[in-house]
Amino acid sequence: MGTKGKEIVGKDAKELVELFNKALADEWNAYYQYWVGALVVRGPMRPDVQKELSEHASEELKHAGMLAERIIQLGGTPLLNPKEFEAKGNCKYDAPTDPSVTKILDQNIKGEQCAIETYNKLLLKIKTTSDMISFNTIRKIMEDEVKHEEDLEMLKEDISMI
Ligand code: FE
Ligand code: FE
Ligand code: MG
């Protein structure tokens, strides 16, 4: 960011970078959980489930990119080592050890609920700063997470009607 951009965000930049790196860890974990889940999943409506999981994987990766870009704009450095993803995340990585469709959907629904809670808290926090650009970035991400939860819950409902 340039001089004026930096001046507006001011002393909040450092704390925001910390918080966004934690969210970046979450996004990478979510990305991998969806990506590998789409490969191993077995059960009813498998092609539809795989399609949804893969779509969500690419959206989580997009979120990771949005966060990393904002971190750099704020003068920070995005997490450089995947070893940090486990320790820094707000939500825990839930390995899809049971490939059944319902189990994987439940795990990812739980993940989305954690993401929604995390981003909601983050928005309330950013509201107390003067960084409206970060507010908008996180608001956009949260909108996707709300949609993700809804999509997975709808799939689960459809599967239960088979
Ligand atoms: Fe995400
Ligand atoms: Fe999501
Ligand atoms: Mg979707």
Side-chain angles (χ1 to χ4, degrees):
M1 280 194 298
T3 324
K4 197 69 189 174
K6 273 199 201 117
E7 185 194 307
I8 287 171
V9 181
K11 54 175 175 37
D12 294 318
K14 207 165 169 265
E15 191 188 1
L16 290 173
V17 164
E18 281 292 310
L19 294 169
F20 292 174
N21 260 325
K22 285 169 75 66
L24 177 61
D26 287 327
E27 291 295 348
W28 270 103
N29 289 333
Y31 164 71
Y32 193 78
Q33 194 177 312
Y34 272 124
W35 179 85
V36 81
L39 294 172
V40 299
V41 70
R42 294 292 180 270
M45 289 177 63
R46 194 206 297 184
D48 301 277
V49 174
Q50 283 179 316
K51 187 170 169 276
E52 197 67 48
L53 298 178
S54 306
E55 271 173 25
H56 288 196
S58 31
E59 283 162 0
E60 309 304 5
L61 189 57
K62 188 190 79 188
H63 297 161
M66 291 161 74
L67 289 163
E69 208 177 297
R70 190 64 192 147
I71 287 168
I72 291 168
Q73 286 168 354
L74 288 167
T77 309
L79 296 181
L80 297 174
N81 194 328
K83 278 183 189 152
E84 295 177 282
F85 295 165
E86 184 82 59
K88 289 238 173 177
N90 302 284
C91 307
K92 81 171 187 46
Y93 180 81
D94 207 358
T97 46
D98 178 344
S100 93
V101 153
T102 42
K103 189 71 216 283
I104 287 190
L105 286 176
D106 281 340
Q107 283 178 312
N108 287 308
I109 289 168
K110 252 177 61 196
E112 292 298 342
Q113 289 170 345
C114 182
I116 293 166
E117 268 180 40
T118 301
Y119 284 124
N120 193 46
K121 277 191 209 146
L122 193 49
L123 282 178
L124 294 171
K125 166 78 207 157
I126 304 173
K127 246 173 71 175
T128 68
T129 73
S130 29
D131 188 2
M132 294 304 108
I133 295 174
S134 287
F135 188 91
N136 196 42
T137 303
I138 300 301
R139 192 199 55 77
K140 277 195 266 182
I141 295 177
M142 186 170 159
E143 226 172 273
D144 287 347
E145 311 302 11
V146 168
K147 181 75 167 63
H148 287 170
E149 183 201 29
E150 189 192 359
D151 291 350
L152 298 181
E153 285 180 345
M154 273 165 49
L155 256 180
K156 210 185 138 183
E157 195 188 315
D158 290 348
I159 288 167
S160 76
M161 292 168 80
I162 290 173

